[in-house]
Amino acid sequence: MLLRQDRAIIAILIVTDIAFYASRNNTVSAADISTRTNLPKRSIEPLLQLLSKASILESTRGPHGGYHLAKPKRLITIASIIQAISVQEKEKYTEILSPLYLQVVKPFWEKTDQKILKDAAKITLQDLIKTAEEKGMKRPRPTPIYFTI
C-alpha cells in the first residue's frame, strides 16, 4: 500500500488540498488542484475518481463543478484515503510467484502495511488541516453571501 507507491501520498495531498481550499458552497476543480500541487491533471484525475467512488469526495459537474468532501474532515482518516486508492495496487503484485517474495518479502510488506494503516487510522483530515494552519498557511476566505430582495 503506502510503501509500494507514492499514489497514497498524492491522494492524501489531493484530499487535504480540497479540504483546505473548498468552502461549504464551493468546489475545487482538478485544474486548481493540479496548479497548486504542480502535478499533471491527467495523473490526479484517476485518483479523484477512486476517492469519489470510495465516498471520500463528491463531484459536481458543470461550469462551476469540481470536488468537495463527502463527509466532515473529522470523519475522514488518512487510512481511509490510503485504502481507497490501494485497491488497484494490490492487483499489480499478484503475478509474482518467487518463493522468496511469497515467503519473505510479501509477509514483511503486509505486516509493515498494517502498522502504517493502524497509525494512519488515528489521524484525521482535520488533524492535517490544523497542522497547516499552525504552520501559518492561510485558508481562503469564503465568498460572502449576498441576498437581494
Side-chain angles (χ1 to χ4, degrees):
M1 275 187 251
L2 181 61
L3 294 178
R4 285 189 200 130
Q5 34 65 38
D6 59 359
R7 285 172 44 111
I9 294 168
I10 294 170
I12 293 166
L13 174 60
I14 289 168
V15 176
T16 304
D17 182 277
I18 292 169
F20 196 75
Y21 290 104
S23 67
R24 281 187 182 159
N25 302 324
N26 294 334
T27 59
V28 175
S29 72
D32 289 341
I33 297 167
S34 173
T35 300
R36 283 192 294 268
T37 61
N38 200 28
L39 295 167
K41 185 178 167 190
R42 69 183 178 281
S43 72
I44 64 173
E45 286 175 337
L47 295 175
L48 288 165
Q49 291 172 0
L50 287 171
L51 293 163
S52 295
K53 189 175 181 180
S55 298
I56 292 172
L57 301 177
E58 288 181 348
S59 62
T60 305
R61 294 179 183 257
H64 301 290
Y67 295 88
H68 62 273
L69 300 178
K71 47 191 160 190
K73 294 181 285 273
R74 72 184 189 293
L75 299 178
I76 300 174
T77 65
I78 302 308
S80 66
I81 297 169
I82 294 168
Q83 290 169 324
I85 60 95
S86 295
V87 174
Q88 290 181 337
E89 289 300 311
K90 288 182 181 181
E91 297 169 3
K92 289 183 179 180
Y93 299 95
T94 57
E95 70 266 3
I96 300 174
L97 300 176
S98 161
L100 194 57
Y101 172 76
L102 293 172
Q103 295 175 25
V104 179
V105 176
K106 184 179 177 187
F108 160 75
W109 221 257
E110 288 171 348
K111 187 176 179 181
T112 303
D113 274 348
Q114 290 308 312
K115 287 179 185 177
I116 291 170
L117 282 176
K118 185 177 178 184
D119 289 343
K122 298 174 188 174
I123 303 167
T124 66
L125 193 53
Q126 186 170 346
D127 297 328
L128 294 185
I129 298 301
K130 182 180 175 188
T131 300
E133 291 169 342
E134 289 170 354
K135 300 270 183 192
M137 296 183 71
K138 302 288 183 203
R139 298 176 77 179
R141 293 182 181 263
T143 307
I145 301 173
Y146 295 103
F147 293 99
T148 305
I149 300 177

